[in-house]
Amino acid sequence: TKAASDVYAPLAGKVVEVNAALKDAPEHVNQDPYGSGWLVKLTDVPAGAVEELLDAAAYRALVTK
């Protein structure tokens, strides 16, 4: 079954590229999120916004408390 849903991003910005390869291999989002599983590329992200994000280790610690 295929389904569509909204994607909520932790950043505001302008989407300039969408990973079209995920149409044929959506499993890459879970299998390789830091490589071939990227979703979108953004520009015009507010200054300092990226620095406020958690890195992978901090996020993992937060959700596994």
Side-chain angles (χ1 to χ4, degrees):
T1 302
K2 291 189 177 190
S5 61
D6 293 333
V7 174
Y8 297 96
L11 295 171
K14 179 180 175 184
V15 174
V16 293
E17 188 175 348
V18 175
N19 188 353
L22 295 178
K23 183 176 180 184
D24 296 325
E27 65 274 9
H28 288 202
V29 170
N30 293 324
Q31 293 171 348
D32 190 19
Y34 300 108
S36 64
W38 62 273
L39 296 174
V40 298
K41 292 185 180 182
L42 300 173
T43 61
D44 301 330
V45 175
V50 173
E51 290 78 16
E52 293 179 18
L53 296 175
L54 299 175
D55 64 14
Y59 182 75
R60 190 175 301 111
L62 179 69
V63 299
T64 59
K65 284 184 178 180

